Amino acid sequence: MAYLDNNGVTYLWNKIKALFNKGITNLSVNGRTITFTKGDGTTETINTQDTNTTYGNFKGATASADGGSGLVPAPTKGNEGKYLKADGTWGTPANTTYADMKGATSSTAGTHGLVPAPAAGKQSQYLRGDGTWATPTNTTYSDATQSAHGLMSVDDKKKLDGIASGANNYVHPTSSGNKHIPSGGSAGQILRWSADGTAIWGADNDTTYSDFKAAASGDAMGTHGLVPAPAAGHETMVLFGSGYWGSLQTRAYNPSADKCGFWITRDEGEAAVDLCGFVFSGATSSAAGVMSATDKSKLDALPTNATLSSTYAKKSEITNMYKYCGSVASSDKLPTTGQRVGDVYNIEAASKYGGAGMNVAWNGTAWDPLGEIFTITAITNAQIDAICV
């Protein structure tokens, strides 16, 4: 790679000035004549006058021959309303006078033409096919009936607005033998199954229930029945098999051994009675368990997830970094398997990737050249002469 040093710039500028001196150094204008002086001191002139000022007359077209360009014929006085025709003459367009429209009759069709002018006060009338202006008939309508079309009455509109969407004139059947609600029921009865698709009205049986009986110690089982009513304020409690409403409590168990337990407790008066309990050991690095107070204090002292995310980079965020893996003698020695994105190798010999010392990186699909060693030298005057031809 070569660059222009101080001597090279001076030499190039002198060549540029010499090239400009071969061009035009002065211009002067006299009327339609331009005189210019060249770099060698000689002069030449250019005449800008248009000598082609004679034109032939416009030639009109005929049925068999095209017309020709030229000066159009001058119109004579009194022909200001005429138009130049393609045959080269001034004339008046045909078919500019129209007759009045002729209206149709019961037996004769009308004809094209100018429509008759409406008289004053006829602005709301319409032009009829017979050529006259008139008011349309049949613009007054009566209310609709069940046998004649017409306008909807106010009462019918109110009735329509009061009908629910999707409603119909359905009458629910109540006769015996059908698959709908039968007739004949009385107060206090319920609808009971009679046969497939049918039902009958009857008394509601089995409406008296005994109290729920709790399980006792030993082998005594409880019985079905009405559960005891919970007292006010017991809305968060649960019913135990003993027949009491109680609550679940969590209490420490041997804190020095990092253990905690859950107790099922029932309320009896002012004191709580423990029914049963479950004890869990503290969690270790190899076994699940409850978190100890010591570990909770240590966890609370750690930075929050938001602080960690804004301060440190995650492993997944540190990807595709360059990693120097060594040198190879030639490009055919580059790895073809097992390379990872970001692997970098130095190629000692010149190759298709560039000159000797080129570094290439694996981009996931191919080796990508990163750069090579090159030497910068000053361009010579001979090279400038070869360029400025």
Coordinates of all heavy atoms in Angstrom, one line a residue, residues 288-380:
A288 N -33.6 -31.8 51.1 CA -34.6 -30.8 51.3 C -35.1 -30.7 52.7 O -35.0 -31.7 53.5 CB -35.8 -31.1 50.3
G289 N -35.6 -29.6 53.1 CA -36.1 -29.4 54.5 C -36.5 -28.0 54.6 O -36.6 -27.2 53.7
V290 N -36.9 -27.6 55.9 CA -37.3 -26.2 56.1 C -36.1 -25.3 56.2 O -35.0 -25.8 56.5 CB -38.1 -26.1 57.4 CG1 -39.4 -26.9 57.3 CG2 -37.3 -26.6 58.6
M291 N -36.3 -24.0 55.9 CA -35.1 -23.1 56.0 C -35.0 -22.6 57.5 O -35.9 -22.2 58.1 CB -35.4 -21.9 55.1 CG -34.3 -20.8 55.2 SD -34.6 -19.4 54.1 CE -34.3 -20.1 52.5
S292 N -33.7 -22.6 57.9 CA -33.5 -22.2 59.3 C -33.4 -20.7 59.4 O -33.3 -20.0 58.4 CB -32.1 -22.8 59.8 OG -31.1 -22.2 59.0
A293 N -33.5 -20.2 60.6 CA -33.5 -18.7 60.8 C -32.1 -18.2 60.4 O -32.0 -17.1 59.8 CB -33.8 -18.4 62.3
T294 N -31.0 -19.0 60.6 CA -29.7 -18.6 60.2 C -29.6 -18.4 58.7 O -29.1 -17.4 58.2 CB -28.6 -19.6 60.7 OG1 -28.8 -19.7 62.1 CG2 -27.2 -19.2 60.3
D295 N -30.1 -19.4 58.0 CA -30.0 -19.3 56.5 C -30.9 -18.2 56.0 O -30.6 -17.5 55.0 CB -30.5 -20.7 55.9 CG -29.5 -21.8 56.1 OD1 -28.3 -21.4 56.4 OD2 -29.8 -22.9 55.9
K296 N -32.1 -17.9 56.6 CA -32.9 -16.8 56.2 C -32.2 -15.5 56.4 O -32.3 -14.6 55.5 CB -34.2 -16.9 57.0 CG -35.3 -15.8 56.5 CD -35.7 -16.1 55.1 CE -36.8 -15.2 54.7 NZ -36.4 -13.8 54.5
S297 N -31.5 -15.3 57.5 CA -30.8 -14.1 57.7 C -29.7 -13.9 56.7 O -29.5 -12.8 56.2 CB -30.2 -14.1 59.1 OG -31.2 -14.2 60.1
K298 N -29.0 -15.0 56.3 CA -28.0 -15.0 55.3 C -28.6 -14.6 53.9 O -28.0 -13.8 53.2 CB -27.2 -16.3 55.2 CG -26.0 -16.3 54.3 CD -25.5 -17.7 54.2 CE -25.0 -18.2 55.5 NZ -24.3 -19.6 55.4
L299 N -29.7 -15.2 53.6 CA -30.4 -14.9 52.3 C -30.8 -13.5 52.3 O -30.7 -12.8 51.2 CB -31.6 -15.9 52.2 CG -32.4 -15.8 50.9 CD1 -31.5 -16.1 49.7 CD2 -33.6 -16.7 50.9
D300 N -31.4 -12.9 53.3 CA -31.8 -11.5 53.3 C -30.7 -10.6 53.2 O -30.9 -9.4 52.7 CB -32.6 -11.2 54.6 CG -33.9 -11.9 54.7 OD1 -34.4 -12.4 53.7 OD2 -34.5 -12.0 55.8
A301 N -29.4 -11.0 53.6 CA -28.3 -10.1 53.4 C -27.7 -10.0 52.0 O -26.9 -9.2 51.7 CB -27.2 -10.5 54.4
L302 N -28.1 -11.0 51.2 CA -27.6 -11.0 49.8 C -28.3 -9.9 48.9 O -29.4 -9.5 49.3 CB -27.9 -12.4 49.1 CG -27.2 -13.6 49.7 CD1 -27.6 -14.8 49.1 CD2 -25.7 -13.4 49.5
P303 N -27.6 -9.5 47.9 CA -28.3 -8.4 47.0 C -29.5 -9.0 46.3 O -29.7 -10.2 46.1 CB -27.2 -8.2 45.9 CG -25.9 -8.7 46.5 CD -26.3 -9.8 47.4
T304 N -30.4 -8.1 46.0 CA -31.7 -8.6 45.3 C -31.4 -9.0 43.9 O -30.3 -8.7 43.3 CB -32.7 -7.4 45.3 OG1 -32.2 -6.3 44.5 CG2 -33.0 -6.9 46.7
N305 N -32.3 -9.7 43.3 CA -32.1 -10.1 41.9 C -32.0 -8.9 40.9 O -31.2 -8.9 40.0 CB -33.3 -10.9 41.5 CG -33.2 -11.5 40.0 OD1 -32.3 -12.2 39.7 ND2 -34.1 -11.1 39.2
A306 N -32.7 -7.8 41.2 CA -32.6 -6.6 40.4 C -31.2 -6.0 40.5 O -30.6 -5.6 39.5 CB -33.7 -5.6 40.8
T307 N -30.6 -6.0 41.7 CA -29.3 -5.5 41.9 C -28.3 -6.3 41.1 O -27.4 -5.9 40.5 CB -28.9 -5.4 43.4 OG1 -29.9 -4.5 44.0 CG2 -27.5 -4.8 43.6
L308 N -28.4 -7.7 41.3 CA -27.5 -8.6 40.6 C -27.6 -8.4 39.1 O -26.6 -8.4 38.4 CB -27.8 -10.0 41.0 CG -27.5 -10.4 42.5 CD1 -28.0 -11.8 42.8 CD2 -26.0 -10.3 42.8
S309 N -28.8 -8.3 38.6 CA -29.0 -8.2 37.1 C -28.4 -6.9 36.5 O -27.9 -6.9 35.4 CB -30.5 -8.3 36.8 OG -31.0 -9.6 37.2
S310 N -28.5 -5.9 37.3 CA -28.0 -4.6 36.8 C -26.5 -4.4 37.0 O -25.9 -3.5 36.5 CB -28.8 -3.4 37.5 OG -28.6 -3.4 38.9
T311 N -25.9 -5.2 37.9 CA -24.5 -5.1 38.2 C -23.6 -6.1 37.5 O -22.5 -5.7 37.1 CB -24.3 -5.2 39.8 OG1 -25.2 -4.3 40.4 CG2 -22.8 -4.9 40.2
Y312 N -24.0 -7.3 37.4 CA -23.2 -8.4 36.8 C -23.8 -8.9 35.6 O -25.0 -9.0 35.4 CB -23.0 -9.5 37.9 CG -22.5 -9.1 39.2 CD1 -23.3 -8.8 40.3 CD2 -21.1 -8.9 39.3 CE1 -22.8 -8.4 41.5 CE2 -20.6 -8.4 40.6 CZ -21.4 -8.2 41.6 OH -20.9 -7.8 42.8
A313 N -22.9 -9.4 34.7 CA -23.4 -10.0 33.4 C -23.6 -11.5 33.6 O -22.9 -12.1 34.3 CB -22.3 -9.8 32.3
K314 N -24.7 -12.0 33.1 CA -25.0 -13.4 33.1 C -24.1 -14.2 32.2 O -23.6 -13.6 31.2 CB -26.5 -13.7 32.8 CG -27.5 -13.0 33.7 CD -28.9 -13.3 33.3 CE -29.9 -12.6 34.2 NZ -31.3 -12.8 33.8
K315 N -23.9 -15.5 32.5 CA -23.1 -16.3 31.6 C -23.7 -16.4 30.2 O -23.0 -16.4 29.2 CB -23.0 -17.7 32.2 CG -22.1 -18.7 31.4 CD -22.0 -20.0 32.1 CE -21.1 -21.0 31.3 NZ -21.0 -22.3 31.9
S316 N -25.0 -16.3 30.1 CA -25.7 -16.4 28.8 C -25.4 -15.1 28.0 O -25.6 -15.1 26.8 CB -27.2 -16.6 28.9 OG -27.8 -15.6 29.7
E317 N -25.1 -14.0 28.7 CA -24.8 -12.7 28.0 C -23.4 -12.6 27.5 O -23.1 -11.7 26.7 CB -25.2 -11.6 29.0 CG -26.6 -11.5 29.4 CD -26.9 -10.5 30.4 OE1 -25.9 -10.1 31.1 OE2 -28.1 -10.0 30.5
I318 N -22.5 -13.4 28.0 CA -21.1 -13.4 27.6 C -20.9 -14.5 26.6 O -20.6 -15.6 26.9 CB -20.2 -13.6 28.8 CG1 -20.5 -12.6 29.9 CG2 -18.7 -13.5 28.4 CD1 -19.7 -12.8 31.2
T319 N -21.2 -14.2 25.3 CA -21.1 -15.1 24.2 C -20.3 -14.6 23.0 O -20.1 -13.4 22.9 CB -22.5 -15.5 23.8 OG1 -23.2 -14.3 23.3 CG2 -23.3 -16.2 24.9
N320 N -19.8 -15.5 22.2 CA -19.2 -15.1 20.9 C -18.0 -14.2 21.1 O -17.8 -13.3 20.3 CB -20.2 -14.5 20.0 CG -21.4 -15.4 19.7 OD1 -21.2 -16.6 19.8 ND2 -22.5 -14.8 19.3
M321 N -17.2 -14.4 22.1 CA -16.0 -13.6 22.3 C -14.8 -14.3 21.6 O -14.8 -15.5 21.4 CB -15.6 -13.5 23.8 CG -16.7 -12.8 24.6 SD -16.2 -12.6 26.4 CE -14.8 -11.6 26.2
Y322 N -13.9 -13.5 21.1 CA -12.7 -14.0 20.4 C -11.8 -14.8 21.4 O -11.6 -14.3 22.5 CB -11.9 -12.9 19.8 CG -12.5 -12.3 18.5 CD1 -12.4 -10.9 18.3 CD2 -13.2 -13.1 17.6 CE1 -13.0 -10.4 17.1 CE2 -13.8 -12.6 16.5 CZ -13.7 -11.2 16.2 OH -14.2 -10.7 15.1
K323 N -11.4 -15.9 20.9 CA -10.5 -16.8 21.8 C -9.3 -17.2 20.9 O -9.5 -17.9 19.9 CB -11.2 -18.0 22.3 CG -10.3 -18.9 23.1 CD -11.1 -20.1 23.6 CE -10.2 -21.1 24.4 NZ -10.9 -22.3 24.8
Y324 N -8.1 -16.8 21.2 CA -6.9 -17.1 20.4 C -6.6 -18.6 20.6 O -6.4 -19.1 21.7 CB -5.7 -16.3 20.7 CG -4.5 -16.5 19.9 CD1 -4.5 -16.1 18.5 CD2 -3.4 -17.2 20.4 CE1 -3.4 -16.4 17.7 CE2 -2.3 -17.5 19.6 CZ -2.3 -17.1 18.3 OH -1.2 -17.4 17.5
C325 N -6.5 -19.4 19.5 CA -6.3 -20.8 19.6 C -5.0 -21.3 19.1 O -4.7 -22.5 19.1 CB -7.4 -21.6 18.9 SG -9.1 -21.3 19.6
G326 N -4.2 -20.4 18.5 CA -2.8 -20.7 18.0 C -2.6 -20.3 16.6 O -3.4 -19.6 16.0
S327 N -1.5 -20.9 16.0 CA -1.1 -20.6 14.6 C -1.1 -21.9 13.8 O -0.9 -23.0 14.3 CB 0.3 -19.9 14.5 OG 0.3 -18.7 15.1
V328 N -1.4 -21.7 12.5 CA -1.2 -22.8 11.5 C -0.4 -22.4 10.4 O -0.3 -21.2 10.0 CB -2.6 -23.3 11.0 CG1 -3.5 -23.8 12.1 CG2 -3.4 -22.1 10.3
A329 N 0.4 -23.3 9.8 CA 1.3 -23.0 8.7 C 0.6 -22.5 7.5 O 1.1 -21.5 6.8 CB 2.2 -24.2 8.4
S330 N -0.5 -23.0 7.1 CA -1.3 -22.6 5.9 C -2.8 -22.8 6.2 O -3.2 -23.4 7.2 CB -0.9 -23.5 4.7 OG -1.1 -24.8 5.0
S331 N -3.6 -22.2 5.3 CA -5.0 -22.2 5.5 C -5.6 -23.6 5.5 O -6.7 -23.8 6.1 CB -5.7 -21.3 4.5 OG -5.5 -21.8 3.2
D332 N -5.0 -24.6 4.8 CA -5.6 -25.9 4.8 C -5.4 -26.6 6.1 O -5.9 -27.8 6.2 CB -5.0 -26.7 3.6 CG -3.4 -26.8 3.7 OD1 -2.8 -26.0 4.4 OD2 -2.9 -27.7 3.0
K333 N -4.6 -26.0 7.0 CA -4.4 -26.6 8.3 C -5.4 -26.2 9.3 O -5.4 -26.6 10.5 CB -3.0 -26.3 8.8 CG -1.9 -26.7 7.9 CD -1.8 -28.2 7.7 CE -0.6 -28.6 6.8 NZ -0.6 -30.1 6.5
L334 N -6.3 -25.3 8.9 CA -7.4 -24.8 9.9 C -8.3 -25.9 10.2 O -8.6 -26.8 9.4 CB -8.2 -23.7 9.2 CG -7.5 -22.3 9.0 CD1 -8.3 -21.4 8.2 CD2 -7.2 -21.7 10.4
P335 N -8.8 -26.0 11.5 CA -9.7 -27.1 11.9 C -11.0 -27.1 11.0 O -11.5 -26.0 10.6 CB -10.1 -26.7 13.3 CG -9.0 -25.8 13.8 CD -8.5 -25.0 12.6
T336 N -11.5 -28.3 10.8 CA -12.7 -28.4 10.0 C -13.9 -29.0 10.8 O -15.0 -29.0 10.4 CB -12.5 -29.3 8.8 OG1 -12.0 -30.6 9.2 CG2 -11.5 -28.7 7.8
T337 N -13.5 -29.5 12.1 CA -14.5 -30.0 13.0 C -14.2 -29.5 14.4 O -13.0 -29.3 14.7 CB -14.6 -31.5 13.0 OG1 -13.3 -32.0 13.3 CG2 -15.0 -32.0 11.6
G338 N -15.2 -29.3 15.2 CA -15.0 -29.0 16.6 C -14.8 -27.5 16.9 O -14.7 -27.1 18.1
Q339 N -14.7 -26.7 15.9 CA -14.4 -25.3 16.1 C -15.7 -24.6 16.7 O -16.8 -25.0 16.3 CB -13.9 -24.5 14.9 CG -14.9 -24.5 13.7 CD -14.7 -25.7 12.8 OE1 -14.3 -26.8 13.3 NE2 -15.0 -25.6 11.5
R340 N -15.5 -23.6 17.5 CA -16.6 -22.9 18.1 C -16.6 -21.4 17.7 O -15.5 -20.9 17.3 CB -16.5 -22.9 19.7 CG -16.6 -24.3 20.2 CD -16.3 -24.4 21.7 NE -14.9 -24.0 21.9 CZ -14.3 -23.9 23.1 NH1 -15.0 -24.2 24.2 NH2 -13.1 -23.5 23.2
V341 N -17.7 -20.8 17.8 CA -17.8 -19.4 17.4 C -16.9 -18.5 18.2 O -16.9 -18.6 19.5 CB -19.3 -18.8 17.5 CG1 -19.3 -17.3 17.2 CG2 -20.2 -19.6 16.6
G342 N -16.0 -17.7 17.6 CA -15.0 -16.9 18.3 C -13.6 -17.5 18.3 O -12.7 -16.8 18.7
D343 N -13.4 -18.7 17.9 CA -12.1 -19.3 17.8 C -11.3 -18.5 16.8 O -11.8 -18.3 15.6 CB -12.2 -20.8 17.4 CG -12.6 -21.7 18.6 OD1 -12.8 -21.1 19.7 OD2 -12.8 -22.9 18.3
V344 N -10.0 -18.2 17.1 CA -9.2 -17.3 16.3 C -7.9 -18.1 16.0 O -7.2 -18.6 17.0 CB -8.9 -16.0 16.9 CG1 -7.9 -15.2 16.0 CG2 -10.2 -15.2 17.1
Y345 N -7.4 -18.1 14.7 CA -6.2 -18.7 14.4 C -5.4 -17.8 13.5 O -5.9 -17.0 12.7 CB -6.4 -20.0 13.6 CG -6.7 -21.2 14.4 CD1 -8.1 -21.5 14.7 CD2 -5.8 -22.1 14.9 CE1 -8.4 -22.6 15.5 CE2 -6.1 -23.2 15.7 CZ -7.4 -23.4 16.0 OH -7.7 -24.5 16.8
N346 N -4.0 -17.8 13.7 CA -3.1 -17.0 12.8 C -2.6 -17.9 11.7 O -2.2 -19.1 11.9 CB -1.9 -16.6 13.7 CG -0.8 -15.9 12.8 OD1 -1.1 -14.8 12.2 ND2 0.4 -16.5 12.7
I347 N -2.7 -17.4 10.4 CA -2.2 -18.2 9.3 C -0.9 -17.6 8.9 O -0.8 -16.4 8.5 CB -3.2 -18.1 8.1 CG1 -4.6 -18.6 8.6 CG2 -2.7 -19.0 6.9 CD1 -5.6 -18.5 7.5
E348 N 0.2 -18.4 9.0 CA 1.6 -17.9 8.8 C 1.9 -17.6 7.4 O 2.6 -16.6 7.1 CB 2.6 -18.9 9.3 CG 2.4 -19.2 10.8 CD 3.3 -20.3 11.3 OE1 4.0 -21.0 10.5 OE2 3.3 -20.6 12.5
A349 N 1.4 -18.4 6.4 CA 1.6 -18.1 5.0 C 0.5 -17.4 4.3 O -0.7 -17.4 4.8 CB 1.8 -19.5 4.3
A350 N 0.8 -16.7 3.2 CA -0.3 -16.1 2.4 C -1.3 -17.1 2.0 O -1.0 -18.2 1.6 CB 0.3 -15.3 1.2
S351 N -2.6 -16.7 1.9 CA -3.6 -17.7 1.6 C -4.8 -16.9 0.9 O -4.7 -15.7 0.7 CB -4.1 -18.4 2.8 OG -4.8 -17.5 3.7
K352 N -5.9 -17.6 0.7 CA -7.1 -17.0 0.1 C -7.7 -16.0 1.1 O -8.5 -15.1 0.7 CB -8.1 -18.0 -0.3 CG -8.7 -18.8 0.9 CD -9.7 -19.9 0.5 CE -10.2 -20.6 1.7 NZ -11.2 -21.7 1.3
Y353 N -7.3 -16.0 2.3 CA -7.8 -15.1 3.3 C -7.0 -13.8 3.4 O -7.5 -12.8 4.0 CB -7.9 -15.7 4.7 CG -8.7 -16.9 4.8 CD1 -8.2 -18.2 4.9 CD2 -10.1 -16.8 4.8 CE1 -9.0 -19.3 4.9 CE2 -10.9 -18.0 4.8 CZ -10.4 -19.2 4.9 OH -11.2 -20.3 5.0
G354 N -5.8 -13.7 2.7 CA -5.0 -12.6 2.7 C -3.5 -12.9 2.8 O -3.1 -14.1 2.6
G355 N -2.7 -11.9 3.1 CA -1.3 -12.1 3.2 C -0.9 -12.9 4.4 O -1.7 -13.3 5.3
A356 N 0.5 -13.1 4.5 CA 1.0 -13.8 5.6 C 0.7 -13.1 6.9 O 0.8 -11.9 7.0 CB 2.5 -14.0 5.4
G357 N 0.4 -13.9 8.0 CA 0.1 -13.3 9.2 C -1.4 -12.9 9.4 O -1.8 -12.3 10.4
M358 N -2.2 -13.3 8.4 CA -3.7 -13.0 8.5 C -4.3 -13.8 9.7 O -4.0 -15.0 9.9 CB -4.4 -13.4 7.2 CG -5.9 -13.3 7.3 SD -6.5 -11.7 7.6 CE -6.2 -10.9 6.0
N359 N -5.1 -13.2 10.5 CA -5.9 -13.8 11.6 C -7.3 -14.0 11.1 O -7.9 -13.1 10.4 CB -5.9 -13.0 12.8 CG -4.6 -13.0 13.5 OD1 -3.8 -13.9 13.4 ND2 -4.3 -11.9 14.3
V360 N -7.9 -15.3 11.3 CA -9.2 -15.6 10.9 C -10.0 -16.1 12.2 O -9.4 -16.6 13.1 CB -9.3 -16.6 9.8 CG1 -8.7 -16.1 8.5 CG2 -8.6 -17.9 10.3
A361 N -11.3 -15.8 12.2 CA -12.2 -16.2 13.3 C -13.3 -17.0 12.7 O -13.8 -16.7 11.6 CB -12.7 -15.0 14.0
W362 N -13.8 -18.0 13.5 CA -14.9 -18.9 13.1 C -16.2 -18.1 13.5 O -16.4 -17.8 14.6 CB -14.8 -20.2 13.8 CG -15.9 -21.1 13.3 CD1 -17.0 -21.5 14.0 CD2 -16.0 -21.8 12.1 NE1 -17.8 -22.4 13.3 CE2 -17.2 -22.6 12.1 CE3 -15.2 -21.8 10.9 CZ2 -17.6 -23.4 11.0 CZ3 -15.6 -22.6 9.9 CH2 -16.8 -23.4 9.9
N363 N -17.1 -17.8 12.4 CA -18.3 -17.1 12.7 C -19.5 -18.0 12.8 O -20.7 -17.5 12.8 CB -18.6 -16.1 11.5 CG -18.7 -16.7 10.2 OD1 -18.9 -17.9 10.1 ND2 -18.6 -15.9 9.1
G364 N -19.3 -19.3 12.8 CA -20.4 -20.3 13.0 C -20.6 -21.1 11.7 O -21.1 -22.2 11.7
T365 N -20.2 -20.5 10.5 CA -20.4 -21.2 9.3 C -19.1 -21.2 8.4 O -18.9 -22.1 7.6 CB -21.5 -20.6 8.4 OG1 -21.2 -19.2 8.2 CG2 -22.8 -20.7 9.1
A366 N -18.2 -20.2 8.6 CA -17.0 -20.1 7.8 C -15.9 -19.4 8.6 O -16.2 -18.7 9.7 CB -17.2 -19.5 6.5
W367 N -14.7 -19.4 8.1 CA -13.6 -18.6 8.7 C -13.6 -17.2 8.1 O -13.6 -17.0 6.9 CB -12.2 -19.3 8.4 CG -12.0 -20.6 9.1 CD1 -12.1 -21.8 8.6 CD2 -11.7 -20.7 10.5 NE1 -11.9 -22.8 9.6 CE2 -11.7 -22.1 10.8 CE3 -11.6 -19.9 11.6 CZ2 -11.4 -22.6 12.1 CZ3 -11.3 -20.4 12.9 CH2 -11.2 -21.7 13.1
D368 N -13.6 -16.2 9.0 CA -13.8 -14.8 8.6 C -12.5 -14.1 8.8 O -12.0 -14.1 10.0 CB -14.9 -14.2 9.4 CG -15.2 -12.8 8.9 OD1 -14.8 -12.4 7.8 OD2 -15.8 -12.0 9.7
P369 N -11.8 -13.5 7.8 CA -10.5 -12.8 8.0 C -10.7 -11.6 8.8 O -11.6 -10.8 8.6 CB -10.1 -12.5 6.6 CG -11.3 -12.5 5.7 CD -12.2 -13.5 6.4
L370 N -9.8 -11.4 9.8 CA -9.9 -10.2 10.7 C -8.9 -9.1 10.3 O -9.1 -7.9 10.6 CB -9.5 -10.7 12.1 CG -10.5 -11.7 12.7 CD1 -10.0 -12.1 14.1 CD2 -11.9 -11.2 12.8
G371 N -7.8 -9.4 9.6 CA -6.8 -8.4 9.2 C -5.5 -9.0 8.9 O -5.3 -10.2 9.2
E372 N -4.6 -8.3 8.3 CA -3.3 -8.8 7.9 C -2.2 -7.7 8.1 O -2.6 -6.5 8.3 CB -3.3 -9.3 6.5 CG -3.6 -8.2 5.5 CD -3.6 -8.7 4.1 OE1 -2.5 -9.3 3.7 OE2 -4.5 -8.5 3.3
I373 N -1.0 -8.1 8.1 CA 0.1 -7.2 8.2 C 0.4 -6.6 6.9 O 0.6 -7.4 5.9 CB 1.4 -7.9 8.8 CG1 1.1 -8.4 10.2 CG2 2.5 -6.9 8.9 CD1 2.2 -9.3 10.8
F374 N 0.5 -5.3 6.7 CA 0.8 -4.7 5.4 C 1.8 -3.5 5.7 O 1.8 -2.9 6.8 CB -0.4 -4.2 4.7 CG -1.3 -3.2 5.4 CD1 -1.0 -1.9 5.3 CD2 -2.3 -3.7 6.3 CE1 -1.8 -1.0 6.0 CE2 -3.1 -2.8 7.0 CZ -2.8 -1.5 6.9
T375 N 2.5 -3.1 4.6 CA 3.5 -2.1 4.7 C 3.1 -0.9 3.8 O 2.6 -1.0 2.7 CB 4.9 -2.6 4.1 OG1 5.3 -3.7 4.9 CG2 5.9 -1.5 4.3
I376 N 3.2 0.3 4.4 CA 2.8 1.6 3.7 C 4.1 2.2 3.2 O 5.0 2.5 4.0 CB 2.0 2.5 4.7 CG1 0.8 1.8 5.2 CG2 1.7 3.8 4.0 CD1 0.0 2.6 6.2
T377 N 4.2 2.5 1.9 CA 5.3 3.2 1.3 C 4.8 4.4 0.6 O 3.6 4.5 0.2 CB 6.1 2.3 0.4 OG1 5.2 1.9 -0.6 CG2 6.6 1.1 1.1
A378 N 5.7 5.4 0.3 CA 5.4 6.6 -0.4 C 5.3 6.3 -1.9 O 6.1 5.5 -2.4 CB 6.4 7.7 -0.2
I379 N 4.2 6.9 -2.6 CA 4.1 6.7 -4.0 C 5.2 7.5 -4.7 O 5.6 8.6 -4.3 CB 2.7 7.1 -4.5 CG1 2.4 6.7 -5.9 CG2 2.5 8.7 -4.3 CD1 1.0 6.9 -6.3
T380 N 5.7 6.9 -5.8 CA 6.8 7.6 -6.6 C 6.2 8.5 -7.7 O 5.1 8.4 -8.0 CB 7.7 6.5 -7.2 OG1 6.9 5.8 -8.2 CG2 8.2 5.5 -6.2

